[in-house]
Amino acid sequence: MCGIVGYIGPRVAQEFLVEGLRRLEYRGYDSAGTATLNGDQSLNITKSVGRIASLAQEIASAPSNSGIGIGHTRWATHGAATISNAHPHVGGSQRLAIAHNGVIENFAELRSKLKSDGFEFLSETDTEVVAHLIAQCLDRRRESNSDQSAVQMAVDSIKESISQLRGTFGLAIIFSHIPDSIFAARLGSPLVIGVGDDEHFLASDAQPLVGYTDRIVYLADNQVAVLSADSLQVSHRDSGVVAHDVKHLDVESNQVDLEGFDHYMLKEIFEQPESLRNTMRGRLSEDMATAVFGGLNLTPQDLLKVKRIVFTACGTSWHSAMVGEYLIEEIAQIPVEVEYASELRYRNPPMDESTLIFAITQSGETADTLAALREMKRKGHSTMAICNVVGSSIAQDADGGIYLHAGPEIGVASTKAYTSQCMALVLLALYLGRLRHLSYNRGRKMIEAIRNVPDLVAKALQTSDAVLEIAKKYKDCENFLYLGRHYNFPTALEGALKLKEISYIHAEGYPAAEMKHGPIALVDENTPSVFVMPNGFIYEKVMSNLEEIKARRGPVIAIAAEGDTRVAEVADDVIYIPQTEEYLQPIVTAIPLQLLSYHIAVLRGCDVDKPRNLAKSVTVE
């Protein structure tokens, strides 16, 4: 959640800051602000509540030509969305400005001490505590270390301050008396530095840097960076200067543009044939009839010792983990458990040395998932990541893993990352199955079916117009039920979540057979039930569940396989998708559910890409 940007160089800083913050809108926010340095070395702070457009108007009314500045989008944690709580915050007597992502857990005790030391607080935030703490440390050093340079004194003050913090933080700081440097520090909240020609950029992730530079540095935990126009120095909190690796940013500018689509979510829905191909690329071997992974960092001998797999994730990624449970237990015959990361991090479940942990995440920065992975790693378990963002915290912390290569996902409600997660899990199940009991012929048949999936998804996308007509029919309903069985039970959960996320309609997903054990009480003429029921061994059972809904006059929308005339005789509306193997159905059936939620949300006038109260990267607990 939240977003940080920074710039130092020959450009007008505010122009990059506003554009960078726009590219970070997907992370979720309720207020925004920038801080630049005036010619007289005073701080120029501009803030607004609401969207970036409001901030841009404020800046336009009093622009600054400064070439140094930081910006922030805030998602409220401590204190409401107000101007006084918006970032950047100032420390001391307007001596420094700071933007902060994360949560300071011991802010209350620090705030109390700083108040007793005479500091006045103007906000309810935990961030202002950090600003005053740095100012206090700086005052002490200026009194006793007059021979130190201003930059080194600032670095040491930041290090002393962050050593007192408990929690997570990504910090961007400018000092009024140091007009040629931006300072950054991180612990658990990502920061990326862009390296340009006589300029440097700072951001929470790589999106704001696309088109400005293709050279980046990922700041690691407990590191402090000093950015000037022509230099970058990185040091560790507890030691001196450390080497930093400059990596290539492999993202094209058109990947973060709308390219003619009305919303990023719709663009990303229609990108799924290609994103699935990217996830598959180079990972299927017909000769060996198996999948190929280069990043697991475990030998086949190591994997044969695995007797149990635990998937941990949050939100949409948790639903893909459930798909993975079905896949790996059926295809690889390995017991699997799926854990909410927010629960696993505080539980102490029995796990022996034969348990392998997989953290599944789109952003690679989800706080609960990162904490769960670190706790399992601390206990000595091998940890893997299935992640979309190269260089993210979870990708760096895990012992190995699988990158999705789905491309940037801007819409808050995940679409292409979800189906790519499911595809990665299909490939993992094939790989683990071939290590065990799966025959060569079965492996070849699976590969043939897997290769067809992108084309089947492209065909499923052709239902968009039909789905729009159904959306018009049900857009004013306030409750939906989503029902599926076996592989399509997780699909029902994901479909319900998508509708809730972007249209604010209450929706619940259930195994279709469980409907009669309580949820059927909700069925009436105004509560549509969405049945995910392509052909399969359990089709007849799901049809019986559908009949139970119709007997109680509940409207039914069915997601069915092409050629299924029987369901059309019973359901009120049918969305036909191409038939595929049952273990691949979750990828194909997700498409019409994504389209349904999208079209309903647009018809209801909702902000599809930036739904209220939500954030793309949830970096707070």
Side-chain angles (χ1 to χ4, degrees), residues 410-434:
I410 307 301
V412 166
S414 181
T415 52
K416 66 177 182 177
Y418 171 74
T419 52
S420 284
Q421 286 170 346
C422 291
M423 176 57 77
L425 289 163
V426 169
L427 301 179
L428 181 63
L430 169 60
Y431 177 63
L432 295 174
R434 286 286 289 132

PDB file of all heavy atoms in Angstrom, residues 410-434:
ATOM      1  N   ILE A 410      -1.529  -3.567 -13.291  1.00  0.00           N
ATOM      2  CA  ILE A 410      -1.822  -2.262 -12.701  1.00  0.00           C
ATOM      3  C   ILE A 410      -3.159  -2.265 -11.962  1.00  0.00           C
ATOM      4  O   ILE A 410      -3.297  -1.678 -10.895  1.00  0.00           O
ATOM      5  CB  ILE A 410      -1.833  -1.163 -13.791  1.00  0.00           C
ATOM      6  CG1 ILE A 410      -0.525  -1.211 -14.605  1.00  0.00           C
ATOM      7  CG2 ILE A 410      -2.017   0.211 -13.171  1.00  0.00           C
ATOM      8  CD1 ILE A 410       0.723  -1.013 -13.816  1.00  0.00           C
ATOM      9  N   GLY A 411      -4.168  -2.905 -12.546  1.00  0.00           N
ATOM     10  CA  GLY A 411      -5.474  -2.961 -11.894  1.00  0.00           C
ATOM     11  C   GLY A 411      -5.360  -3.601 -10.525  1.00  0.00           C
ATOM     12  O   GLY A 411      -4.669  -4.613 -10.353  1.00  0.00           O
ATOM     13  N   VAL A 412      -6.041  -3.029  -9.536  1.00  0.00           N
ATOM     14  CA  VAL A 412      -5.958  -3.558  -8.175  1.00  0.00           C
ATOM     15  C   VAL A 412      -6.481  -4.986  -8.105  1.00  0.00           C
ATOM     16  O   VAL A 412      -5.907  -5.846  -7.446  1.00  0.00           O
ATOM     17  CB  VAL A 412      -6.724  -2.634  -7.197  1.00  0.00           C
ATOM     18  CG1 VAL A 412      -6.937  -3.320  -5.854  1.00  0.00           C
ATOM     19  CG2 VAL A 412      -5.953  -1.330  -7.007  1.00  0.00           C
ATOM     20  N   ALA A 413      -7.585  -5.267  -8.795  1.00  0.00           N
ATOM     21  CA  ALA A 413      -8.147  -6.612  -8.791  1.00  0.00           C
ATOM     22  C   ALA A 413      -7.332  -7.488  -9.739  1.00  0.00           C
ATOM     23  O   ALA A 413      -7.300  -7.267 -10.942  1.00  0.00           O
ATOM     24  CB  ALA A 413      -9.611  -6.575  -9.223  1.00  0.00           C
ATOM     25  N   SER A 414      -6.669  -8.487  -9.205  1.00  0.00           N
ATOM     26  CA  SER A 414      -5.761  -9.314 -10.001  1.00  0.00           C
ATOM     27  C   SER A 414      -6.532 -10.175 -10.997  1.00  0.00           C
ATOM     28  O   SER A 414      -7.541 -10.793 -10.660  1.00  0.00           O
ATOM     29  CB  SER A 414      -4.924 -10.206  -9.087  1.00  0.00           C
ATOM     30  OG  SER A 414      -4.027 -10.989  -9.846  1.00  0.00           O
ATOM     31  N   THR A 415      -6.040 -10.226 -12.226  1.00  0.00           N
ATOM     32  CA  THR A 415      -6.643 -11.053 -13.275  1.00  0.00           C
ATOM     33  C   THR A 415      -5.581 -11.933 -13.925  1.00  0.00           C
ATOM     34  O   THR A 415      -5.521 -13.127 -13.697  1.00  0.00           O
ATOM     35  CB  THR A 415      -7.338 -10.174 -14.328  1.00  0.00           C
ATOM     36  OG1 THR A 415      -6.418  -9.164 -14.786  1.00  0.00           O
ATOM     37  CG2 THR A 415      -8.574  -9.504 -13.752  1.00  0.00           C
ATOM     38  N   LYS A 416      -4.681 -11.311 -14.684  1.00  0.00           N
ATOM     39  CA  LYS A 416      -3.692 -12.115 -15.401  1.00  0.00           C
ATOM     40  C   LYS A 416      -2.683 -12.756 -14.456  1.00  0.00           C
ATOM     41  O   LYS A 416      -2.172 -13.851 -14.744  1.00  0.00           O
ATOM     42  CB  LYS A 416      -2.992 -11.288 -16.476  1.00  0.00           C
ATOM     43  CG  LYS A 416      -2.122 -10.152 -15.988  1.00  0.00           C
ATOM     44  CD  LYS A 416      -1.436  -9.468 -17.167  1.00  0.00           C
ATOM     45  CE  LYS A 416      -0.512  -8.346 -16.709  1.00  0.00           C
ATOM     46  NZ  LYS A 416       0.201  -7.723 -17.842  1.00  0.00           N
ATOM     47  N   ALA A 417      -2.389 -12.127 -13.339  1.00  0.00           N
ATOM     48  CA  ALA A 417      -1.469 -12.749 -12.392  1.00  0.00           C
ATOM     49  C   ALA A 417      -2.098 -14.004 -11.796  1.00  0.00           C
ATOM     50  O   ALA A 417      -1.413 -15.008 -11.558  1.00  0.00           O
ATOM     51  CB  ALA A 417      -1.083 -11.769 -11.287  1.00  0.00           C
ATOM     52  N   TYR A 418      -3.423 -13.973 -11.569  1.00  0.00           N
ATOM     53  CA  TYR A 418      -4.112 -15.134 -11.017  1.00  0.00           C
ATOM     54  C   TYR A 418      -4.036 -16.329 -11.964  1.00  0.00           C
ATOM     55  O   TYR A 418      -3.668 -17.435 -11.566  1.00  0.00           O
ATOM     56  CB  TYR A 418      -5.572 -14.798 -10.724  1.00  0.00           C
ATOM     57  CG  TYR A 418      -6.407 -16.006 -10.356  1.00  0.00           C
ATOM     58  CD1 TYR A 418      -6.267 -16.614  -9.114  1.00  0.00           C
ATOM     59  CD2 TYR A 418      -7.322 -16.545 -11.256  1.00  0.00           C
ATOM     60  CE1 TYR A 418      -7.018 -17.728  -8.773  1.00  0.00           C
ATOM     61  CE2 TYR A 418      -8.079 -17.662 -10.922  1.00  0.00           C
ATOM     62  CZ  TYR A 418      -7.925 -18.249  -9.683  1.00  0.00           C
ATOM     63  OH  TYR A 418      -8.667 -19.361  -9.352  1.00  0.00           O
ATOM     64  N   THR A 419      -4.370 -16.117 -13.228  1.00  0.00           N
ATOM     65  CA  THR A 419      -4.336 -17.247 -14.158  1.00  0.00           C
ATOM     66  C   THR A 419      -2.903 -17.718 -14.395  1.00  0.00           C
ATOM     67  O   THR A 419      -2.665 -18.919 -14.588  1.00  0.00           O
ATOM     68  CB  THR A 419      -5.007 -16.883 -15.493  1.00  0.00           C
ATOM     69  OG1 THR A 419      -4.459 -15.663 -16.016  1.00  0.00           O
ATOM     70  CG2 THR A 419      -6.509 -16.716 -15.309  1.00  0.00           C
ATOM     71  N   SER A 420      -1.934 -16.807 -14.347  1.00  0.00           N
ATOM     72  CA  SER A 420      -0.541 -17.230 -14.460  1.00  0.00           C
ATOM     73  C   SER A 420      -0.097 -18.023 -13.238  1.00  0.00           C
ATOM     74  O   SER A 420       0.696 -18.967 -13.353  1.00  0.00           O
ATOM     75  CB  SER A 420       0.367 -16.015 -14.676  1.00  0.00           C
ATOM     76  OG  SER A 420       0.281 -15.543 -16.003  1.00  0.00           O
ATOM     77  N   GLN A 421      -0.591 -17.661 -12.066  1.00  0.00           N
ATOM     78  CA  GLN A 421      -0.304 -18.466 -10.875  1.00  0.00           C
ATOM     79  C   GLN A 421      -0.853 -19.880 -11.039  1.00  0.00           C
ATOM     80  O   GLN A 421      -0.166 -20.865 -10.736  1.00  0.00           O
ATOM     81  CB  GLN A 421      -0.922 -17.806  -9.637  1.00  0.00           C
ATOM     82  CG  GLN A 421      -0.201 -16.572  -9.156  1.00  0.00           C
ATOM     83  CD  GLN A 421      -0.978 -15.816  -8.081  1.00  0.00           C
ATOM     84  OE1 GLN A 421      -2.176 -16.073  -7.867  1.00  0.00           O
ATOM     85  NE2 GLN A 421      -0.327 -14.884  -7.408  1.00  0.00           N
ATOM     86  N   CYS A 422      -2.088 -19.969 -11.540  1.00  0.00           N
ATOM     87  CA  CYS A 422      -2.687 -21.288 -11.762  1.00  0.00           C
ATOM     88  C   CYS A 422      -1.876 -22.083 -12.780  1.00  0.00           C
ATOM     89  O   CYS A 422      -1.648 -23.288 -12.609  1.00  0.00           O
ATOM     90  CB  CYS A 422      -4.137 -21.144 -12.232  1.00  0.00           C
ATOM     91  SG  CYS A 422      -5.266 -20.503 -10.974  1.00  0.00           S
ATOM     92  N   MET A 423      -1.417 -21.422 -13.835  1.00  0.00           N
ATOM     93  CA  MET A 423      -0.610 -22.112 -14.843  1.00  0.00           C
ATOM     94  C   MET A 423       0.713 -22.582 -14.247  1.00  0.00           C
ATOM     95  O   MET A 423       1.167 -23.715 -14.508  1.00  0.00           O
ATOM     96  CB  MET A 423      -0.356 -21.188 -16.033  1.00  0.00           C
ATOM     97  CG  MET A 423       0.557 -21.787 -17.104  1.00  0.00           C
ATOM     98  SD  MET A 423      -0.045 -23.359 -17.779  1.00  0.00           S
ATOM     99  CE  MET A 423      -1.342 -22.743 -18.866  1.00  0.00           C
ATOM    100  N   ALA A 424       1.364 -21.734 -13.452  1.00  0.00           N
ATOM    101  CA  ALA A 424       2.622 -22.136 -12.820  1.00  0.00           C
ATOM    102  C   ALA A 424       2.412 -23.354 -11.931  1.00  0.00           C
ATOM    103  O   ALA A 424       3.266 -24.248 -11.868  1.00  0.00           O
ATOM    104  CB  ALA A 424       3.193 -20.967 -12.008  1.00  0.00           C
ATOM    105  N   LEU A 425       1.266 -23.421 -11.274  1.00  0.00           N
ATOM    106  CA  LEU A 425       0.963 -24.556 -10.400  1.00  0.00           C
ATOM    107  C   LEU A 425       0.670 -25.815 -11.206  1.00  0.00           C
ATOM    108  O   LEU A 425       0.994 -26.925 -10.776  1.00  0.00           O
ATOM    109  CB  LEU A 425      -0.202 -24.199  -9.484  1.00  0.00           C
ATOM    110  CG  LEU A 425       0.153 -23.159  -8.404  1.00  0.00           C
ATOM    111  CD1 LEU A 425      -1.101 -22.534  -7.813  1.00  0.00           C
ATOM    112  CD2 LEU A 425       0.996 -23.808  -7.303  1.00  0.00           C
ATOM    113  N   VAL A 426       0.051 -25.665 -12.380  1.00  0.00           N
ATOM    114  CA  VAL A 426      -0.135 -26.810 -13.274  1.00  0.00           C
ATOM    115  C   VAL A 426       1.232 -27.376 -13.669  1.00  0.00           C
ATOM    116  O   VAL A 426       1.458 -28.594 -13.627  1.00  0.00           O
ATOM    117  CB  VAL A 426      -0.928 -26.405 -14.536  1.00  0.00           C
ATOM    118  CG1 VAL A 426      -0.889 -27.524 -15.573  1.00  0.00           C
ATOM    119  CG2 VAL A 426      -2.376 -26.082 -14.190  1.00  0.00           C
ATOM    120  N   LEU A 427       2.142 -26.493 -14.058  1.00  0.00           N
ATOM    121  CA  LEU A 427       3.480 -26.930 -14.450  1.00  0.00           C
ATOM    122  C   LEU A 427       4.214 -27.586 -13.283  1.00  0.00           C
ATOM    123  O   LEU A 427       4.927 -28.586 -13.456  1.00  0.00           O
ATOM    124  CB  LEU A 427       4.289 -25.743 -14.978  1.00  0.00           C
ATOM    125  CG  LEU A 427       3.702 -25.008 -16.192  1.00  0.00           C
ATOM    126  CD1 LEU A 427       4.607 -23.835 -16.581  1.00  0.00           C
ATOM    127  CD2 LEU A 427       3.513 -25.937 -17.367  1.00  0.00           C
ATOM    128  N   LEU A 428       4.045 -27.023 -12.087  1.00  0.00           N
ATOM    129  CA  LEU A 428       4.686 -27.599 -10.907  1.00  0.00           C
ATOM    130  C   LEU A 428       4.132 -28.992 -10.622  1.00  0.00           C
ATOM    131  O   LEU A 428       4.892 -29.921 -10.288  1.00  0.00           O
ATOM    132  CB  LEU A 428       4.479 -26.684  -9.702  1.00  0.00           C
ATOM    133  CG  LEU A 428       5.112 -27.127  -8.381  1.00  0.00           C
ATOM    134  CD1 LEU A 428       6.634 -27.170  -8.502  1.00  0.00           C
ATOM    135  CD2 LEU A 428       4.686 -26.202  -7.245  1.00  0.00           C
ATOM    136  N   ALA A 429       2.809 -29.154 -10.762  1.00  0.00           N
ATOM    137  CA  ALA A 429       2.204 -30.464 -10.533  1.00  0.00           C
ATOM    138  C   ALA A 429       2.725 -31.490 -11.542  1.00  0.00           C
ATOM    139  O   ALA A 429       3.008 -32.646 -11.186  1.00  0.00           O
ATOM    140  CB  ALA A 429       0.677 -30.353 -10.628  1.00  0.00           C
ATOM    141  N   LEU A 430       2.853 -31.069 -12.804  1.00  0.00           N
ATOM    142  CA  LEU A 430       3.408 -31.953 -13.827  1.00  0.00           C
ATOM    143  C   LEU A 430       4.839 -32.355 -13.462  1.00  0.00           C
ATOM    144  O   LEU A 430       5.202 -33.543 -13.541  1.00  0.00           O
ATOM    145  CB  LEU A 430       3.373 -31.253 -15.187  1.00  0.00           C
ATOM    146  CG  LEU A 430       4.138 -31.918 -16.336  1.00  0.00           C
ATOM    147  CD1 LEU A 430       3.593 -33.317 -16.619  1.00  0.00           C
ATOM    148  CD2 LEU A 430       4.081 -31.045 -17.589  1.00  0.00           C
ATOM    149  N   TYR A 431       5.644 -31.387 -13.069  1.00  0.00           N
ATOM    150  CA  TYR A 431       7.040 -31.654 -12.739  1.00  0.00           C
ATOM    151  C   TYR A 431       7.164 -32.619 -11.563  1.00  0.00           C
ATOM    152  O   TYR A 431       7.899 -33.614 -11.618  1.00  0.00           O
ATOM    153  CB  TYR A 431       7.733 -30.330 -12.423  1.00  0.00           C
ATOM    154  CG  TYR A 431       9.175 -30.456 -11.993  1.00  0.00           C
ATOM    155  CD1 TYR A 431      10.139 -30.977 -12.855  1.00  0.00           C
ATOM    156  CD2 TYR A 431       9.582 -30.039 -10.729  1.00  0.00           C
ATOM    157  CE1 TYR A 431      11.459 -31.078 -12.464  1.00  0.00           C
ATOM    158  CE2 TYR A 431      10.905 -30.139 -10.326  1.00  0.00           C
ATOM    159  CZ  TYR A 431      11.835 -30.660 -11.193  1.00  0.00           C
ATOM    160  OH  TYR A 431      13.151 -30.771 -10.807  1.00  0.00           O
ATOM    161  N   LEU A 432       6.410 -32.357 -10.493  1.00  0.00           N
ATOM    162  CA  LEU A 432       6.470 -33.218  -9.314  1.00  0.00           C
ATOM    163  C   LEU A 432       5.877 -34.588  -9.614  1.00  0.00           C
ATOM    164  O   LEU A 432       6.357 -35.611  -9.103  1.00  0.00           O
ATOM    165  CB  LEU A 432       5.738 -32.551  -8.149  1.00  0.00           C
ATOM    166  CG  LEU A 432       6.357 -31.249  -7.617  1.00  0.00           C
ATOM    167  CD1 LEU A 432       5.454 -30.628  -6.559  1.00  0.00           C
ATOM    168  CD2 LEU A 432       7.755 -31.494  -7.058  1.00  0.00           C
ATOM    169  N   GLY A 433       4.832 -34.621 -10.436  1.00  0.00           N
ATOM    170  CA  GLY A 433       4.243 -35.902 -10.800  1.00  0.00           C
ATOM    171  C   GLY A 433       5.196 -36.776 -11.591  1.00  0.00           C
ATOM    172  O   GLY A 433       5.305 -37.989 -11.361  1.00  0.00           O
ATOM    173  N   ARG A 434       5.919 -36.150 -12.524  1.00  0.00           N
ATOM    174  CA  ARG A 434       6.869 -36.923 -13.335  1.00  0.00           C
ATOM    175  C   ARG A 434       8.057 -37.414 -12.497  1.00  0.00           C
ATOM    176  O   ARG A 434       8.692 -38.424 -12.836  1.00  0.00           O
ATOM    177  CB  ARG A 434       7.361 -36.082 -14.511  1.00  0.00           C
ATOM    178  CG  ARG A 434       6.339 -35.911 -15.592  1.00  0.00           C
ATOM    179  CD  ARG A 434       6.153 -37.184 -16.416  1.00  0.00           C
ATOM    180  NE  ARG A 434       7.320 -37.427 -17.262  1.00  0.00           N
ATOM    181  CZ  ARG A 434       7.953 -38.593 -17.376  1.00  0.00           C
ATOM    182  NH1 ARG A 434       7.544 -39.642 -16.680  1.00  0.00           N
ATOM    183  NH2 ARG A 434       9.002 -38.718 -18.173  1.00  0.00           N
TER     184      ARG A 434
END
